[in-house]
Amino acid sequence: MAIANRVKSVVGSQEDAGSKIMRHAGLLSGQLQQLRTRMYPPRSEKTLRPFLTNEVSKLTSIPDSTLKLMSTEGRGPVPSRLENNHRVYTLAQINELRELFAKQKPVEALRFLPRRRAGEHLQVLAIANFKGGSAKTTTCVHLAHYLALHGYRVLTLDLDPQASLSALFGAQPEVDVGSNETIYAALRYDEAERRPIRDIIRKTYFDGIDLIPGNLEVMEYEHETPRILANRSSSGAIFFERLKLALMEVETDYDIVILDTPPSLGFLTLSAIYAATSMIITVHPAMLDVASMSQFLLMMGDLISVLNESGAQLDQDFIRYLVTRHDPNDAPQSQVVAMLRHLFGSDVLLPTAIESTAVEAAGLAKRSIYELEIGQIGRDTHKRAREAVDAVNEAIVRLISDSWGRT
């Protein structure tokens, strides 16, 4: 009896699984907040580095000599000076230069300011695959940064409850994103609590990019929609239209919307597919990942059939496969890539997202390759990674330009 009592006492003093998980979550959240404070002093907020004149010239096609002459004559935005006296511009100043030159040279306006024109539809691009680790979020953030650096107006939308995209934009989901501040606020069925999408859009530190952050709250849509459908509610019958209708409210404010979808084929992903005018399916070139993608495509095909039966028509400009985390020197990976190109032809983007220590290093610091300055990592490593990422993004931008009818 004495032994039994001692065992019962030990068991009673043990922490139950739920309490332990919540305690660990609190510890990790606190540690992440401390890391952010150290990474982004003094206000614990992300900031974007300035850009040297040679970088500005490459981004805007304005000659370096013209930028220096304008600075000397006091025309246009006034650049700051580094300790070595080199001129640097913020991204906001770069966009001022774009607008200035677009007005001065209206015939070449599109070259300086490539924003969509009258008659060009809002491009809503979904990055999808329900296999975790296929680099969806990495693809989203690099594409968003590339577009903003080249003068486009971008809205990024985090549909993933894990909220990695939000974190990369400096919004720690459990600290900085409160109740009714995710896309769920604009999609929810409760009329009294639903908010206009414009109210939940946030400016980011990256000029030209706005964000609708995510956190665990977005899962509420997955839980609420089946209940509405079970009740045969008329509002539930068009659940897949809610995201598309919400985006139409801010259609004039942006050129491109990027949807970071969750790694599942739930109601949010289905809504994203319906709202999208185009889709990039990311795939890591390993057989397990390809097998998973096969199931994803089969399931997506079935869901699209259901949408069609409901009277919904998917009208997408393009669907492409992007090979991610690719090591060109890995023979098995090369075989998988060759198989995908044989099966899908030009639907597989020619450039691939090369696996790179530079991209990994940037990710550890919650940055993209575009935010790293030369010198933070090896020059050659940075150059190779930047060229590979640029090639992928340039290919996507060409598809978007074609969808707008641009030559």
Side-chain angles (χ1 to χ4, degrees):
M1 179 68 75
I3 295 174
N5 287 336
R6 283 201 300 272
V7 170
K8 189 178 293 185
S9 175
V10 170
V11 172
S13 66
Q14 286 179 342
E15 188 176 23
D16 65 75
S19 298
K20 177 179 284 190
I21 288 170
M22 291 303 295
R23 181 170 61 83
H24 287 179
L27 289 170
L28 185 56
S29 178
Q31 184 64 37
L32 290 171
Q33 182 68 3
Q34 290 180 29
L35 286 171
R36 184 173 69 166
T37 302
R38 291 201 295 268
M39 287 168 66
Y40 313 126
R43 294 186 298 166
S44 303
E45 294 179 359
K46 284 195 75 172
T47 56
L48 182 61
R49 67 178 180 87
F51 297 84
L52 293 164
T53 51
N54 67 322
E55 292 180 284
V56 177
S57 180
K58 290 177 182 177
L59 289 172
T60 61
S61 74
I62 301 170
D64 201 345
S65 57
T66 302
L67 291 171
K68 290 178 180 177
L69 180 62
M70 289 177 66
S71 175
T72 302
E73 295 177 349
R75 293 187 290 119
V78 180
S80 301
R81 297 272 187 167
L82 298 177
E83 291 181 359
N84 57 12
N85 209 35
H86 287 173
R87 297 177 178 86
V88 290
Y89 292 82
T90 65
L91 182 53
Q93 289 177 317
I94 294 173
N95 286 328
E96 283 183 49
L97 286 167
R98 286 193 173 101
E99 293 183 6
L100 180 64
F101 275 77
K103 289 178 182 177
Q104 290 179 351
K105 301 182 178 183
V107 176
E108 300 179 84
L110 202 60
R111 178 162 68 92
F112 298 109
L113 201 63
R115 294 172 182 169
R116 65 190 180 100
R117 303 296 196 261
E120 297 175 342
H121 61 276
L122 176 69
Q123 183 64 247
V124 181
L125 178 59
I127 311 295
N129 197 334
F130 72 4
K131 179 72 169 65
S134 65
K136 290 191 301 293
T137 301
T138 302
T139 301
C140 285
V141 76
H142 280 94
L143 178 60
H145 286 184
Y146 178 90
L147 290 167
L149 287 172
H150 287 82
Y152 295 91
R153 301 167 302 165
V154 183
L155 173 63
T156 53
L157 205 168
D158 197 344
L159 293 168
D160 189 345
Q162 297 176 79
S164 299
L165 182 68
S166 303
L168 284 169
F169 277 104
Q172 190 172 331
E174 68 273 25
V175 175
D176 302 316
V177 185
S179 176
N180 225 26
E181 293 183 351
T182 69
I183 190 59
Y184 174 66
L187 302 182
R188 63 189 305 159
Y189 299 95
D190 182 350
E191 296 284 348
E193 295 292 331
R194 191 162 68 239
R195 302 175 64 187
I197 193 171
R198 201 180 298 276
D199 290 356
I200 55 174
I201 292 174
R202 303 182 179 196
K203 295 291 180 186
T204 70
Y205 68 97
F206 212 108
D207 194 71
I209 301 179
D210 289 347
L211 170 71
I212 297 178
N215 65 11
L216 290 175
E217 182 186 67
V218 300
M219 284 299 295
E220 291 298 321
Y221 190 67
E222 303 289 352
H223 300 149
E224 193 173 347
T225 299
R227 180 176 59 80
I228 296 294
L229 292 173
N231 292 336
R232 299 182 181 273
S233 166
S234 59
S235 61
I238 55 167
F239 73 91
F240 54 83
E241 292 184 322
R242 299 176 84 84
L243 179 58
K244 186 173 186 175
L245 293 172
L247 290 174
M248 287 174 62
E249 296 175 22
V250 292
E251 183 178 10
T252 58
D253 298 345
Y254 302 100
D255 306 308
I256 299 158
V257 177
I258 299 175
L259 308 177
D260 188 14
T261 63
S264 62
L265 261 180
F267 295 108
L268 278 171
T269 303
L270 190 58
S271 300
I273 291 170
Y274 181 73
T277 58
S278 55
M279 191 185 310
I280 298 292
I281 299 172
T282 55
V283 55
H284 175 56
M287 286 311 299
L288 281 176
D289 294 76
V290 171
S292 175
M293 187 181 74
S294 174
Q295 296 303 306
F296 171 76
L297 294 176
L298 288 169
M299 291 175 66
M300 191 166 68
D302 288 342
L303 288 171
I304 290 172
S305 297
V306 172
L307 289 181
N308 290 338
E309 290 171 5
S310 302
Q313 293 297 318
L314 295 184
D315 186 19
Q316 297 195 336
D317 298 321
F318 61 86
I319 298 175
R320 294 291 186 275
Y321 300 92
L322 170 63
V323 176
T324 60
R325 295 168 49 217
H326 179 212
D327 180 0
N329 298 317
D330 185 302
Q333 283 197 19
S334 297
Q335 291 174 2
V336 172
V337 173
M339 179 189 72
L340 292 173
R341 295 196 189 283
H342 173 72
L343 292 173
F344 302 141
S346 60
D347 287 334
V348 181
L349 288 177
L350 188 59
T352 63
I354 303 297
E355 191 163 35
S356 167
T357 55
V359 174
E360 290 176 8
L364 287 172
K366 292 187 177 180
R367 291 184 171 92
S368 76
I369 195 71
Y370 298 112
E371 296 178 274
L372 294 183
E373 296 182 67
I374 295 174
Q376 289 183 288
I377 54 175
R379 180 181 293 271
D380 290 342
T381 303
H382 183 279
K383 183 174 183 290
R384 284 193 300 271
R386 175 69 181 263
E387 287 175 349
V389 173
D390 278 348
V392 169
N393 292 328
E394 285 167 8
I396 295 172
V397 169
R398 280 196 297 272
L399 291 168
I400 293 172
S401 295
D402 290 344
S403 77
W404 286 337
R406 296 183 182 181
T407 56

